[in-house]
Amino acid sequence: MSLPLEGLSAVVTGAGRGLGRAEALELARLGAAVVVNDYGQPGRDGSGEASAGPAEEVAAEIRAAGGRATAHTGDVADFQQARQLVELAITEFGKLDILVNNAGILRDRMVFSMTEGEWDSVIRVHLKGHFNTTHFAAAHWRERSKAAGGPVYGRIVNTSSEAFLAGSAGQPNYAAAKGGIVGLTTSTALALAKYGVTANAICPRARTRMTEDVFAGFEQPADGLDPLAPEHVAPLVGYLASPAAARANGQLFVVHGGMVAVVDRPRVRAKFDSKQDTFTYDELDAVLTAHYAERPEGETFAAAEVLGLKRT
């Protein structure tokens, strides 16, 4: 019996630790040959010396289990290094079939305190990093499709966050980048569908060095698998990378601890029509002020409600 990803090749960025590592291992378990990318900086804020260690260790782990893997230690936020990453997959495995974008950093600060550098660095790694690899992978699939005279196989799985859905007061850069990733994903899904390529995004909830503050107070269970373990997220990535997910395109998923939710596109909550050619201030004051008066003052999504968790 063949494995669902047998004969396919994948790139996973940020795969030296946490979610990316779990995803790379899962794709390999399902039969894919994997390029394990990680810049290897020890700080979750992108600080420290780059190291080949994390990527090399995960690639070695895949090979030790009987899979095929090679490491890439470049910075995906660098346009040319992202090109080299995609080219490495093509050189090593003959083609690229699957791209999983996961690399990211955090530089948290309230919007009134955030520096230009803190904003730019997070947008660069998350949003530009996703674009860079997507650009070169998309060009590869488009060229293959033209040569084949029809659709080819391609899968993109991008990593967003519920921070963009519900807000995250101390992460304006991160929330903006993650919202941008969803926009990039839906645009890419429309642009590449005719070539046989799908693009989807996930909002994972997982306990990693990136989320240690978010889940402070949510203790790991003494027995059994942690519901916030990255291993809960990886199977969805494996599924979205597979032929079985051919009809899932331009979708957003929330995933954690044995739960997958498909997020609907935004819906109109209320609609008001002017009684004239156009609204006046007074008319808007009358209809909108009344509308918001019916809702709790300062209504927001509490983090615990969004995460569906209760503190222990």
Side-chain angles (χ1 to χ4, degrees):
M1 181 177 177
S2 63
L3 296 170
L5 303 184
E6 189 171 327
L8 302 178
S9 65
V11 162
V12 184
T13 73
R17 305 177 178 91
L19 275 171
R21 174 183 174 275
E23 292 162 354
L25 293 175
E26 177 69 3
L27 295 184
R29 189 187 70 81
L30 295 175
V34 183
V35 178
V36 178
N37 163 265
D38 201 287
Y39 199 37
Q41 291 175 302
R44 67 175 187 166
D45 61 352
S47 62
E49 291 295 323
S51 168
E56 293 283 5
E57 289 169 9
V58 175
E61 188 174 353
I62 290 172
R63 292 192 295 268
R68 299 173 65 197
T70 189
H72 179 271
T73 58
D75 176 8
V76 294
D78 180 281
F79 199 62
Q80 294 308 319
Q81 292 183 56
R83 179 203 297 269
Q84 292 163 10
L85 171 58
V86 171
E87 289 176 347
L88 176 61
I90 298 167
T91 300
E92 285 286 316
F93 305 125
K95 58 185 171 59
L96 174 64
D97 302 294
I98 300 159
L99 171 64
V100 179
N101 284 309
N102 180 70
I105 63 170
L106 291 178
R107 293 192 179 176
D108 296 350
R109 192 89 65 180
M110 300 296 284
V111 68
F112 43 77
S113 302
M114 181 165 287
T115 67
E116 181 181 15
E118 289 165 341
W119 173 271
D120 288 348
S121 61
V122 169
I123 297 296
R124 175 183 179 274
V125 175
H126 286 274
L127 186 52
K128 186 183 177 187
H130 273 60
F131 162 74
N132 286 348
T133 54
T134 297
H135 168 79
F136 292 112
H140 169 65
W141 289 320
R142 182 170 179 262
E143 290 173 7
R144 282 176 52 199
S145 178
K146 286 185 174 182
V152 296
Y153 190 96
R155 298 284 187 269
I156 299 173
V157 183
N158 289 332
T159 306
S160 183
S161 168
E162 288 169 288
F164 103 92
L165 285 169
S168 183
Q171 296 182 307
N173 47 5
Y174 181 77
K178 291 306 190 181
I181 286 168
V182 173
L184 171 65
T185 302
T186 54
S187 175
T188 301
L190 291 172
L192 300 187
K194 65 181 179 181
Y195 301 117
V197 179
T198 67
N200 294 286
I202 63 170
C203 294
R205 308 174 189 171
R207 194 189 308 277
T208 70
R209 64 177 184 152
M210 292 277 286
T211 60
E212 59 188 16
D213 296 339
V214 175
F215 297 120
F218 298 102
E219 301 301 330
Q220 297 187 45
D223 300 307
L225 186 63
D226 181 1
L228 293 171
E231 287 76 13
H232 286 298
V233 175
L236 176 61
V237 174
Y239 169 76
L240 292 174
S242 77
R247 297 184 66 181
N249 194 27
Q251 301 295 296
L252 178 64
F253 301 85
V254 175
V255 53
H256 83 109
M259 183 280 293
V260 173
V262 182
V263 179
D264 205 356
R265 291 175 185 262
R267 297 181 179 182
V268 175
R269 183 166 185 170
K271 180 176 177 291
F272 306 96
D273 295 308
S274 175
K275 296 178 181 179
Q276 308 161 98
D277 290 336
T278 186
F279 272 107
T280 64
Y281 171 87
D282 289 338
E283 190 178 10
L284 287 170
D285 179 27
V287 295
L288 291 180
T289 301
H291 169 69
Y292 284 106
E294 297 172 359
R295 299 173 61 186
E297 185 176 358
E299 182 182 32
T300 60
F301 294 104
E305 293 173 339
V306 173
L307 293 172
L309 299 169
K310 295 182 179 179
R311 292 189 180 275
T312 56

